[in-house]
Amino acid sequence: VSFDLGATVRLINELRLGVVGQNLWAHRTEMPSRLGIGLSYRLSERLLFAADAMIDFTGAESCIALSMQNGLCSETERRTTYRIGGGGEYIVAGRMPLRLGYLFDSSYNAHHVSGGVGYLDPERGFGLDLSLRQQVSAGTQTVALLGIRILRQ
């Protein structure tokens, strides 16, 4: 059992700040304690910029000493890790969001780029999103996501 706590504040009409604490009653690595912070700015009806960061206080395990006998790790320590990213969204004709983004993950010292496209139908109250994230350093992981939105007025 654990709990999360978060809030979003509209600083001015176009600028929003969000903060969330995740797994505030920590359970070690099974449910790591995290802090997320996000900021978004809507430049116009069609253009939005956003940035966010997530700090994992449970962190990743790193080898700090190797055994002279077998070359295997003999001592480890946990270190706080973080993910930081940003991106933008431009909505074409009020119905098709186009997105580009970037992410750095300190756990793997990895850089990622992402892109996406969507379709919004406010009259019918739904939307579809397709996105792709590609790791461009420290590996070659590719993540594809398909999302369905329920839009409420």
Side-chain angles (χ1 to χ4, degrees), residues 21-85:
Q22 185 181 26
N23 299 320
L24 297 175
W25 180 23
H27 292 279
R28 301 185 190 222
T29 57
E30 297 84 28
M31 295 176 72
S33 293
R34 296 179 177 151
L35 172 66
I37 301 168
L39 188 66
S40 71
Y41 184 74
R42 182 164 297 281
L43 197 60
S44 70
E45 286 279 325
R46 295 181 171 197
L47 186 59
L48 173 95
F49 293 103
D52 60 22
M54 187 275 303
I55 303 165
D56 183 341
F57 296 105
T58 308
E61 195 168 57
S62 300
C63 182
I64 59 171
L66 294 175
S67 169
M68 296 301 251
Q69 295 174 353
N70 58 15
L72 299 176
C73 189
S74 61
E75 189 177 343
T76 62
E77 73 176 2
R78 297 208 76 75
R79 63 180 172 84
T80 298
T81 59
Y82 63 93
R83 293 173 69 141
I84 188 165

Side-chain angles (χ1 to χ4, degrees), residues 99-122:
R99 301 179 188 99
L100 289 174
Y102 165 81
L103 171 72
F104 174 74
D105 187 337
S106 74
S107 297
Y108 306 103
N109 198 28
H111 299 267
H112 305 259
V113 292
S114 61
V117 64
Y119 174 75
L120 304 173
D121 191 336

Side-chain angles (χ1 to χ4, degrees), residues 125-142:
F126 82 96
L128 295 172
D129 292 297
L130 176 63
S131 65
L132 186 69
R133 184 180 74 205
Q134 179 64 52
Q135 189 171 345
V136 294
S137 71
T140 58
Q141 179 188 60
T142 302

